[in-house]
Amino acid sequence: MSHPSERATLFTTPESIPVLDVTTEQLDRQNIVGFRNADTRARPFKLLRSQILRRVQEDGLKVLGVTSAAPNVGKTFVACNLAAALSRIADMAVILIDLDLHRPAVATRLSFDPDGLGIQDVLAGDAELDQVARRIGEERLVVVPGFRREVATGELLTSPRGEDLFERMHAVGRDTLVIVDMPPIFADDDAVIIAKHLDGYLLVAQDGKTTAKQLTETVRMLSPAPLVGSVLNRFRTQILVDEYGYGMSYGYGGYY
Ligand SMILES: Nc1ncnc2c1ncn2[C@@H]1O[C@H](COP(=O)(O)OP(=O)(O)O)[C@@H](O)[C@H]1O
Ligand SMILES: [Mg+2]
């Protein structure tokens, strides 16, 4: 199988990235439904992916962040499922990078070995990206996981290795999208540092929990990074995407 990401320069030898075999059951248990084209639960992510795909094809979007005002609103849930759904588009490759350095969660969601190496080790100079990345089964999705380390995250992100990582993200081909699972805005300044290197970001809000004031403040803090869309995640009822006047809006319902 040929993967468009192999033309990317983020990895030195993309063709030899080890494969992580994850079963459908494991993905299901972690609410990862984006690979399931025929599943109704994947529908919101298929709608979201078509909007994002347009931005990739028409505006050359390459590096997309997923963030929120506060933790636990479903950022990782959205990032993983969107990455999965987009990787199912012919000729698209997706690279998902966990940059929520304090509370990395992508590895757990995708059933990585918890004793493995992650992006923190790459930023600290203890590992190379090619070593920590895994291709998910036969999918056109490559994941760079994170594992919690006692590190000064802001210093890592602004170090020469951090700068190099962001530069390489932008060197991927036009057929590749890098999705960055981010920390929330109000934790520390990591999200603001990351936002400087994004082509745009998705803002995840939780219905009944995230306030309008938090959203406006978030957009202000991340400026001038463009807000590409907002996702209103309704836990256990449905996932909706709504418009509040910025960028594009997504409208869909029926998740759970
Ligand atoms: N729409 C949803 N339906 C069911 N569970 C969800 C939904 N959104 C998030 N979750 C779950 O809620 C928890 C927190 O979500 P997560 O994506 O980790 O949030 P964040 O990354 O913003 O901290 C996770 O266990 C996740 O699987
Ligand atoms: Mg998260």
Side-chain angles (χ1 to χ4, degrees):
M1 197 196 262
S2 114
H3 299 282
S5 66
E6 281 153 20
R7 274 172 260 138
T9 53
L10 188 59
F11 304 107
T12 314
T13 51
E15 61 288 341
S16 54
I17 290 172
V19 170
L20 181 73
D21 282 313
V22 192
T23 65
T24 310
E25 291 70 32
Q26 282 173 313
L27 292 172
D28 241 31
R29 228 176 292 133
Q30 298 290 338
N31 285 322
I32 309 296
V33 296
F35 291 123
R36 305 189 134 208
N37 260 326
D39 195 311
T40 53
R41 290 175 302 165
R43 211 163 53 197
F45 298 107
K46 284 159 72 180
L47 288 167
L48 184 57
R49 87 175 165 192
S50 62
Q51 302 296 319
I52 299 300
L53 188 63
R54 258 189 45 207
R55 302 294 288 249
V56 171
Q57 291 171 339
E58 291 173 15
D59 306 334
L61 175 77
K62 279 186 183 177
V63 185
L64 175 74
V66 180
T67 192
S68 65
N72 277 313
V73 300
K75 285 182 298 300
T76 303
F77 168 76
V78 169
C80 290
N81 278 300
L82 174 63
L86 265 170
S87 76
R88 279 296 174 92
I89 301 264
D91 300 327
M92 265 298 289
V94 181
I95 299 165
L96 173 64
I97 305 184
D98 193 345
L99 281 186
D100 189 351
L101 301 178
H102 290 291
R103 293 174 66 248
V106 170
T108 311
R109 258 8 109 66
L110 291 168
S111 304
F112 275 71
D113 175 356
D115 298 322
L117 294 172
I119 191 68
Q120 290 84 346
D121 305 299
V122 174
L123 291 172
D126 298 329
E128 293 302 324
L129 262 188
D130 291 53
Q131 268 175 283
V132 309
R134 295 289 179 273
R135 188 180 297 285
I136 305 301
E138 292 277 293
E139 308 290 345
R140 282 185 298 269
L141 173 62
V142 171
V143 175
V144 177
F147 296 99
R148 198 194 296 256
R149 305 278 187 260
E150 291 304 320
V151 289
T153 57
E155 283 168 35
L156 285 187
L157 291 169
T158 52
S159 70
R161 282 190 154 254
E163 294 286 328
D164 179 61
L165 172 69
F166 290 118
E167 214 167 280
R168 284 159 72 182
M169 286 185 198
H170 287 276
V172 298
R174 274 192 78 94
D175 50 10
T176 302
L177 179 69
V178 178
I179 297 180
V180 179
D181 189 15
M182 291 170 63
I185 303 301
F186 297 124
D188 54 16
D189 57 355
D190 283 11
V192 173
I193 294 170
I194 295 166
K196 291 194 177 86
H197 303 278
L198 300 173
D199 293 325
Y201 66 96
L202 279 178
L203 190 48
V204 182
Q206 188 181 334
D207 189 35
K209 190 171 157 188
T210 312
T211 66
K213 188 161 176 282
Q214 280 180 326
L215 294 180
T216 335
E217 184 62 6
T218 302
V219 171
R220 194 187 64 74
M221 284 173 74
L222 297 188
S223 166
L227 174 63
V228 168
S230 55
V231 178
L232 182 61
N233 188 18
R234 296 189 160 175
F235 278 44
R236 281 165 283 280
T237 49
Q238 56 182 185
I239 180 172
L240 276 177
V241 181
D242 81 340
E243 175 177 31
Y244 63 99
Y246 294 98
M248 74 171 84
S249 67
Y250 311 107
Y252 49 66
Y255 195 80
Y256 285 80

